Amino acid sequence: MTIPCGWLRSKKYEDDPVPKYLSAQVGLEAHCFANSRAMFRKSPTSSTISIAVVMIFFAVITWRWSWNEGPSIIRSDVEGYYGYLRAIFINQDLGHEKPNWVFLHQTPEGTLNKYFAGEAVMLLPFFLVAHAVAHLTGEIPNGLSPPYGHAIGLAALCYAFFGLLAFRSLLRRLGISEPVMATTLLVLGFGTQLVQYTSLQPGWSHVYSFSAVSVFLLITQRFSGVVRSRDLLVWGAVFGLIVLIRPVNGLVILALPIVLGKDLPTVFRSVLKDRLGMIAAVGAFFAVISIQSMLWYAQVGHFVADGYKDEGFYWSRPAFFQVLFGIRRGLFVWAPSLLLPAVAVIALWRRDRWRAIGGLVYWLANTYVIACWWIWYYGSGWGQRVYIEHYPVLLLPMAFALQRWAGWRRKLAQIFLLVASLLTLAQFYQYNHRIL
């Protein structure tokens, strides 16, 4: 997938020429690193320092725990997300695997992996390198030996880094100041569950969705300038990837008013005028999600299949209170810093109705869907993990509010975020040391 360099560049560097050798690169990784050169200037900005501090924190925990002392990375849900790679490239038994109650169902036509393949697509380059390393170092090339677990841990760190870079670029393009960007990025790193699912449970899908959503929002914001067909093409492909990771995350489309604000109607009209771009976006979207249909066909001979047997939504009995305030997995109990983004939606009402209404709709729609799932606490894990992919959207109103607040209001908000983040870090330590 090709991401134009300008999307990850701040306004200050927007007019810089792109070297010819760089424009030939493909893949988000090359562009992210090429455009992160501002992070290595002699006088780094506060947002750059924040990203560096967060990534060092994540990397130390990954090395200390996931790569050395912690439980196996490839367990539980990871077996399913990662299972496509083992079945295709190592065992070559896709559709004929041994049934597994966690993720593999036996059907008359073959075995069916209930999980979607988006994470496997994002892990593929890391998996291939790990497979080569296993052969070169004498490790067992079975997809389960140390090189493969290390590759998943490295992939999670890389995608967390790309997600933070994209989110920082989005904030810059929206006119958010350096101090507010730094605060927002530090809250992401130290006041939420992102660290758990980047460093300690890197095989779960959430950090990959977080990264994809951050890029999606950044591309969306670019439309407020000018709508280009190539932008729509990549926008459709990234949206397809978000759906391919977890279909329910397609609700991120509701974030458009939050990102574009009052420019949304103008952007919508511009998109409708670009018929070629619309066709490209729709085509790219279906091309990406067709990967799942092809995998379903390879497994059970049907282009559409339902692997979530006996699992589903109960639309008439959403567990709102448990999801938000319950002791077991309540969002605000385990990440109290997210109370401020929720309050910020209300605070935006007087000055920015588009974003206020968009934020309210986004919170309600996603919380309703999350609360209607048959197991509202989503199995094992720390905190309400299914909100992680929505962090880039949910924290935008907070950034806008902090930008407008001054004096005692901003200081009070920063004190609250500091105390809430310290509480979350304490819970993080207690959970992973089996105190909680």
Side-chain angles (χ1 to χ4, degrees):
M1 184 184 302
T2 303
I3 307 294
C5 294
W7 292 346
L8 296 179
R9 184 180 295 146
S10 69
K11 292 183 178 179
K12 181 177 179 181
Y13 295 100
E14 200 165 25
D15 298 325
D16 288 356
V18 180
K20 291 183 179 179
Y21 77 90
L22 185 58
S23 63
Q25 297 292 329
V26 293
L28 178 58
E29 295 92 339
H31 290 283
C32 284
F33 281 114
N35 285 283
S36 63
R37 66 187 185 279
M39 293 190 68
F40 304 99
R41 296 179 299 180
K42 291 182 179 180
S43 300
T45 62
S46 56
S47 65
T48 295
I49 295 173
S50 297
I51 291 176
V53 169
V54 169
M55 289 310 305
I56 290 172
F57 176 53
F58 287 0
V60 168
I61 294 175
T62 297
W63 174 80
R64 180 71 175 83
W65 187 260
S66 294
W67 287 3
N68 289 290
E69 295 184 3
S72 172
I73 289 175
I74 305 170
R75 68 185 193 278
S76 187
D77 292 13
V78 187
E79 294 183 78
Y81 291 121
Y82 176 72
Y84 287 105
L85 299 176
R86 291 191 67 217
I88 294 172
F89 293 98
I90 295 179
N91 300 326
Q92 299 179 356
D93 60 352
L94 185 67
H96 303 283
E97 303 156 85
K98 183 179 179 180
N100 180 313
W101 71 270
V102 175
F103 70 99
L104 275 175
H105 299 307
Q106 183 67 57
T107 75
E109 296 84 7
T111 53
L112 177 64
N113 187 333
K114 78 174 186 179
Y115 292 105
F116 285 75
E119 181 183 333
V121 171
M122 296 179 76
L123 286 176
L124 179 58
F126 298 89
F127 169 83
L128 293 177
V129 171
H131 198 48
V133 168
H135 281 285
L136 292 173
T137 59
E139 294 282 358
I140 302 174
N142 62 354
L144 300 175
S145 56
Y148 300 96
H150 292 168
I152 294 174
L154 180 60
L157 287 173
C158 288
Y159 284 115
F161 180 53
F162 302 147
L164 291 173
L165 283 180
F167 186 57
R168 194 264 298 267
S169 295
L170 170 65
L171 293 175
R172 274 185 173 165
R173 294 182 67 92
L174 290 170
I176 304 300
S177 65
E178 277 291 326
V180 173
M181 283 195 291
T183 299
T184 306
L185 292 165
L186 289 173
V187 169
L188 269 175
F190 296 97
T192 70
Q193 276 68 50
L194 184 60
V195 58
Q196 178 78 21
Y197 294 93
T198 297
S199 299
L200 295 180
Q201 294 178 250
W204 275 253
S205 68
H206 308 295
V207 69
Y208 307 96
S209 291
F210 165 81
S211 183
V213 167
S214 295
V215 173
F216 175 79
L217 299 179
L218 180 57
I219 302 171
T220 300
Q221 198 284 327
R222 186 176 172 84
F223 294 153
S224 63
V226 60
V227 177
R228 297 185 179 92
S229 296
R230 65 176 184 177
D231 294 355
L232 285 167
L233 171 68
V234 182
W235 186 83
V238 175
F239 184 54
L241 180 60
I242 290 171
V243 173
L244 188 63
I245 299 171
R246 292 185 76 234
V248 71
N249 288 344
L251 287 173
V252 73
I253 200 73
L254 296 176
L256 298 186
I258 306 174
V259 176
L260 297 172
K262 59 181 174 49
D263 292 335
L264 179 60
T266 302
V267 171
F268 185 70
R269 287 192 294 267
S270 298
V271 170
L272 291 179
K273 291 179 182 178
D274 189 352
R275 295 184 179 180
L276 178 61
M278 288 181 60
I279 294 172
V282 173
F285 171 79
F286 282 105
V288 173
I289 65 171
S290 68
I291 294 173
Q292 189 63 56
S293 290
M294 290 186 287
L295 290 171
W296 279 332
Y297 187 82
Q299 293 175 92
V300 296
H302 303 287
F303 287 110
V304 177
D306 181 13
Y308 282 88
K309 184 173 59 176
D310 300 326
E311 300 177 60
F313 295 93
Y314 291 87
W315 302 112
S316 62
R317 53 184 192 189
F320 280 119
F321 182 83
Q322 294 94 321
V323 165
L324 296 177
F325 301 102
I327 296 299
R328 187 169 190 175
R329 292 285 188 278
L331 177 69
F332 298 131
V333 172
W334 298 96
S337 59
L338 294 178
L339 280 167
L340 188 58
V343 171
V345 171
I346 302 172
L348 287 176
W349 180 259
R350 291 182 62 184
R351 295 190 177 184
D352 199 335
R353 293 288 175 87
W354 278 95
R355 290 191 167 102
I357 294 173
L360 181 62
V361 169
Y362 197 89
W363 270 101
L364 290 176
N366 281 281
T367 300
Y368 174 69
V369 172
I370 289 169
C372 286
W373 187 241
W374 72 279
I375 180 170
W376 63 265
Y377 53 89
Y378 291 82
S380 62
W382 174 53
Q384 195 58 263
R385 58 188 173 91
V386 290
Y387 277 91
I388 292 174
E389 36 265 68
H390 301 293
Y391 288 166
V393 182
L394 300 181
L395 265 64
L396 280 180
M398 184 188 81
F400 286 122
L402 288 174
Q403 184 72 15
R404 291 193 174 113
W405 291 341
W408 67 269
R409 288 184 178 86
R410 181 182 290 187
K411 289 181 180 178
L412 183 62
Q414 290 172 333
I415 291 172
F416 168 76
L417 291 173
L418 174 61
V419 172
S421 296
L422 290 174
L423 176 59
T424 296
L425 287 175
Q427 295 171 340
F428 171 66
Y429 176 86
Q430 292 172 322
Y431 174 82
N432 287 291
H433 286 80
R434 301 184 183 278
I435 299 173
L436 290 178

